[in-house]
Amino acid sequence: MTDFRDISLLMFFTSLICCCGCEESLTSVIQRLNQFDRKLHDNKKEILGMEENVLNLIEVSKTEMRTALKENIQVHVREAMVQVLKGDALQDLVSSEVVSELRQLQKGYREMEIQSRNFSKLLKDLQDNMVILQQPKYADVWSGRDSCENERRRILVAPLWSYTNQQFRQLNIHTNSLSVYQHLTMKGVSSVVYIARTRKLLIGLDHPDKLVSSPLDASYTAVVREGIRTFGMAVDEERDIVFLTTEVPRHTISRMSTEGKDFTAITDLSGYGKWPVGITLDKKRKKIYACNGVKMFTVNYDGQGLATLARGSFMYAVIFAQTAGVLYYNNEKTLMKMTVSSNVSTEVTTLSAIPWSMRLYRGTIYYGGFSPVNVNSGSVGSVDVTFNTVPYILKSIHMAKIRGLHIQFIP
């Protein structure tokens, strides 16, 4: 990859010099590049100053909270001592007044932490947008993949195994606002994946078992394949491959093109345990990771090298952090992580629900909750795995008789 970027950079500067040879001197080109470099440096200093101001605000808020906590404790202790002199029990006063006040202050402090974390994410987005605005247009060509990632700030929320038609929802992870897709109303949804190249959704349905394709903003669907029941899909768009975990016609990991062509089972899992569910890809090493309820396992793109990596229960969700080389998966409500270089698992935290699907965005795990029985609501939760913060619910979503929620990032 380093050689490729160096060659691209050399070609760019070569073409720039050639073009400028007709109109401007080499000295003029160098001066413009120096001016651009100074502008980027000034913007970086400004962003660092903003970060310092935000950190100072957070520190001031923490200090004020601690001071308020100390003052409230002192006031209630004095009141308690007065009551003791009157014959009342100090322990009863502490239980009924001081402890209650402490809980309220702790709740407020946790809410402040959540708001600070959200503000930090907004600041990070502001930094990214400022850098993108300062970059020349050719940077979008060189770093198109990163630009695409920067746009993925919304979550498509689909009802899992609903027996009645339900509308898909859209959750903005920064504003925590929820909207409804007027054109996406379905039942029996078991899996969803977004294909960026065609800007369409692939949706797995059961009863009848089939795969359908649908745009985000239109009311029509097209059947891609029939007789397929899938619970998880992952896409490698550079290679034009969609990998699926299937229960029907049999337990497999299968593959096809992003348009549904050349469907084939690469690994038969009929004798491997329960039906496979969640799936994620290591696109660099061409490896697949999946869960089947009781195992988290891996297999190569060609179907070879099947191996069990971890065991547990209600293991449905798995996601791979490509840059860090780390797998995140669930064992019931426990979020686990495994470094693929060592295959050693460690516990991260306890989630609010069993996750059915997980997505990773800028160091934060987002997950759609699952229930073994039909319920009338589901939730989307998140946890910052960079700092192992406490998980919290982003949004509770009410739908009639669903088993949970399937989530998928969309631009």
Side-chain angles (χ1 to χ4, degrees):
M1 293 298 292
T2 302
D3 293 339
F4 178 77
R5 289 195 299 268
D6 292 342
I7 291 172
S8 301
L9 187 61
L10 179 59
M11 292 177 65
F12 167 73
F13 282 114
T14 301
S15 63
L16 180 62
I17 291 172
C18 290
C19 293
C20 292
C22 300
E23 300 176 1
E24 303 179 23
S25 66
L26 179 60
T27 301
S28 176
V29 173
I30 294 174
Q31 289 176 349
R32 289 187 179 185
L33 291 175
N34 288 337
Q35 290 175 359
F36 180 70
D37 184 62
R38 285 194 297 271
K39 287 182 180 180
L40 289 179
H41 180 71
D42 293 340
N43 286 334
K44 183 177 181 181
K45 289 176 62 178
E46 183 179 349
I47 290 171
L48 290 175
M50 292 174 64
E51 287 181 339
E52 184 177 355
N53 291 336
V54 171
L55 292 175
N56 289 337
L57 287 173
I58 293 174
E59 189 62 33
V60 169
S61 298
K62 289 182 178 179
T63 302
E64 292 177 352
M65 290 293 292
R66 294 191 187 101
T67 301
L69 178 62
K70 185 183 295 183
E71 292 176 353
N72 276 289
I73 291 175
Q74 291 174 349
V75 169
H76 286 291
V77 167
R78 285 195 296 268
E79 292 176 354
M81 293 302 297
V82 171
Q83 294 297 327
V84 167
L85 294 176
K86 294 180 180 179
D88 294 333
L90 179 61
Q91 182 176 0
D92 293 340
L93 289 172
V94 172
S95 298
S96 60
E97 298 292 338
V98 178
V99 174
S100 176
E101 187 68 22
L102 285 174
R103 287 175 178 171
Q104 292 297 323
L105 290 172
Q106 289 173 348
K107 180 180 178 181
Y109 185 76
R110 286 194 297 269
E111 291 176 352
M112 185 192 71
E113 280 188 324
I114 293 173
Q115 293 175 357
S116 299
R117 186 161 55 247
N118 290 336
F119 185 78
S120 297
K121 289 181 179 179
L122 288 172
L123 178 60
K124 182 65 168 61
D125 292 335
L126 175 62
Q127 294 172 359
D128 292 338
N129 291 333
M130 290 181 67
V131 172
I132 291 173
L133 288 173
Q134 292 296 329
Q135 289 176 342
K137 292 182 179 180
Y138 59 79
D140 291 336
V141 178
W142 290 352
S143 59
R145 184 184 305 172
D146 293 336
S147 298
C148 181
E149 289 296 326
N150 288 336
E151 294 176 356
R152 295 181 180 177
R153 300 171 183 173
R154 298 181 297 169
I155 295 177
L156 178 80
V157 182
L160 182 63
W161 291 332
S162 169
Y163 293 111
T164 59
N165 284 324
Q166 298 285 351
Q167 290 180 313
F168 286 27
R169 309 301 206 270
Q170 175 187 286
L171 176 62
N172 187 307
I173 63 176
H174 296 309
T175 63
N176 205 20
S177 60
L178 194 67
S179 57
V180 173
Y181 280 102
Q182 300 293 338
H183 301 294
L184 286 173
T185 302
M186 297 183 185
K187 63 179 179 179
V189 176
S190 58
S191 182
V192 179
V193 72
Y194 178 71
I195 309 298
R197 182 176 59 84
T198 59
R199 299 184 64 83
K200 291 182 179 180
L201 297 170
L202 279 178
I203 305 170
L205 303 175
D206 61 5
H207 301 100
D209 301 320
K210 58 184 176 181
L211 282 171
V212 299
S213 174
S214 174
L216 288 171
D217 54 356
S219 58
Y220 69 89
T221 59
V223 176
V224 176
R225 301 201 70 88
E226 295 184 341
I228 301 296
R229 182 184 302 170
T230 177
F231 297 117
M233 292 183 281
V235 59
D236 186 337
E237 294 211 41
E238 290 185 2
R239 297 180 175 91
D240 192 35
I241 303 174
V242 177
F243 291 96
L244 313 88
T245 59
T246 71
E247 182 190 19
V248 175
R250 62 185 188 277
H251 299 180
T252 74
I253 291 181
S254 298
R255 60 177 288 174
M256 65 182 186
S257 72
T258 54
E259 295 181 351
K261 300 178 180 178
D262 303 321
F263 185 92
T264 182
I266 64 170
T267 302
D268 190 339
L269 300 173
S270 299
Y272 194 66
K274 296 184 177 181
W275 34 266
V277 184
I279 184 171
T280 190
L281 305 177
D282 180 348
K283 300 173 186 177
K284 183 177 181 180
R285 297 193 303 159
K286 294 195 290 188
K287 282 186 169 292
I288 303 166
Y289 298 96
C291 293
N292 69 351
V294 294
K295 301 174 186 176
M296 195 268 288
F297 58 93
T298 184
V299 67
N300 298 331
Y301 270 24
D302 60 5
Q304 303 299 311
L306 178 65
T308 300
L309 299 179
R311 298 177 184 271
S313 57
F314 294 100
M315 301 174 73
Y316 298 135
V318 60
I319 195 71
F320 181 63
Q322 186 77 61
T323 303
V326 175
L327 281 167
Y328 293 94
Y329 65 97
N330 79 294
N331 182 4
E332 296 189 25
K333 292 184 180 181
T334 302
L335 178 64
M336 308 291 294
K337 72 175 180 179
M338 173 187 289
T339 303
V340 294
S341 60
S342 62
N343 289 348
V344 175
S345 294
T346 56
E347 181 177 329
V348 178
T349 188
T350 300
L351 304 177
S352 59
I354 298 172
W356 178 260
S357 60
M358 290 193 299
R359 296 293 180 263
L360 179 63
Y361 177 73
R362 292 185 180 176
T364 298
I365 293 284
Y366 298 89
Y367 61 93
F370 169 79
S371 174
V373 296
N374 286 333
V375 295
N376 291 321
S377 66
S379 61
V380 178
S382 70
V383 55
D384 187 337
V385 293
T386 303
F387 302 103
N388 290 346
T389 57
V390 177
Y392 63 98
I393 297 297
L394 277 176
K395 185 70 70 174
S396 293
I397 301 174
H398 298 285
M399 296 184 184
K401 294 183 179 180
I402 61 175
R403 296 287 294 276
L405 300 175
H406 189 98
I407 64 171
Q408 175 69 47
F409 274 118
I410 56 173

